[in-house]
Each structure stands twice: as C-alpha cells, then as structure tokens.
Amino acid sequence: MKIAYWIVTGQKAALLVLSAVPDVLMVDGAVEMFTHLGYPKYLLPFIGVAKLLGVLVVVVPGLPRSLKEWAYAGLVIDLVGALYSHISVGDEAKFFVAPVLGLVLVFGSYALYRSVYMNAADATPEPSAA
C-alpha cells in the first residue's frame, strides 16, 4: 500500500507541478488560458505558488495531519475550480481531462494516505522522516 501511495502521489505531484510552473512564470499559454477563463492575470502566480505549496506539504513526510488535509483540500478546490471554469466558458470536453485526472489522483493519494499513514483507532499521523 505504501508503494501505491507514493506512485499515485508522485503522479499527482508531477501533474500539479507541471501545471503550476507555467502559472508562476506567467508563460504566455498559461496567461491566455487564464484570461480565456475570465480571470485576471495577476491571480495566476498566486494560484501557481499555492499549488506548489500544496504539493510540497503533501509529499514532505512528518508534517501535521491537519496541514496535509488542508493541502489536499486546497488542491481539490483548485481542480474543481478549473473544471467548473472550463465548463462555464463552454470549452470542449478535451479541456476537462487534466482537472478530472488531477482530481482522481488527489482523491487516490488522499485515500492511500489515510490507509497507509493513519491508524483508524487513534488517528496517529505518519512517522517523521527521521
């Protein structure tokens, strides 16, 4: 189960980092998509940094459970917002693939995190990296 957790979490992390870096750097394609969705471009680096921080919190062992759960929640909000935005502006279904895949990976990672690192009886968080 631990191997499955790290495989799914690694894939999720890669997908979100690959989407966050163009946001932070305000790459032309990211800016175009963001403005197409109706958002101001000044918000793009904020969203990118938030995604990077969320991924970092999820992959670093030993952080408090509550912090990890907030990070998972933030990533879900980002992905649901992206999906809703594409639907709202009438984008083709091909634009739904990345947010839906991201949601599947985030939910899979979270479910495996709970399964591997949380003791159901006492909700003990994962061990530290030390």
Side-chain angles (χ1 to χ4, degrees), residues 65 113-125:
R65 171 184 170 208
Y113 167 73
R114 297 285 304 202
S115 164
V116 171
Y117 291 109
M118 300 301 295
N119 180 335
D122 64 359
T124 305

Side-chain angles (χ1 to χ4, degrees), residues 12-67:
K12 173 202 53 111
L15 177 71
L16 290 168
V17 167
L18 289 174
S19 75
V21 170
D23 296 353
V24 172
L25 299 176
M26 295 189 67
V27 172
D28 290 341
V31 173
E32 287 174 27
M33 181 57 72
F34 211 62
T35 54
H36 163 73
L37 294 173
Y39 299 108
K41 67 180 185 177
Y42 67 80
L43 189 58
L44 193 57
F46 174 81
I47 297 293
V49 169
K51 279 191 267 190
L52 291 173
L53 290 173
V55 168
L56 183 67
V57 167
V58 168
V59 299
V60 171
L63 294 177
R65 171 184 170 208
S66 59
L67 186 60

Side-chain angles (χ1 to χ4, degrees), residues 16 23 33-34 36-39 43 47 51 72-91 95-96 98-100 102-103 107:
L16 290 168
D23 296 353
M33 181 57 72
F34 211 62
H36 163 73
L37 294 173
Y39 299 108
L43 189 58
I47 297 293
K51 279 191 267 190
Y72 276 111
L75 295 172
V76 167
I77 290 166
D78 173 69
L79 292 163
V80 168
L83 179 60
Y84 178 79
S85 296
H86 284 294
I87 292 169
S88 294
V89 299
D91 281 341
F95 290 98
F96 307 166
V100 168
L103 284 166
F107 282 118

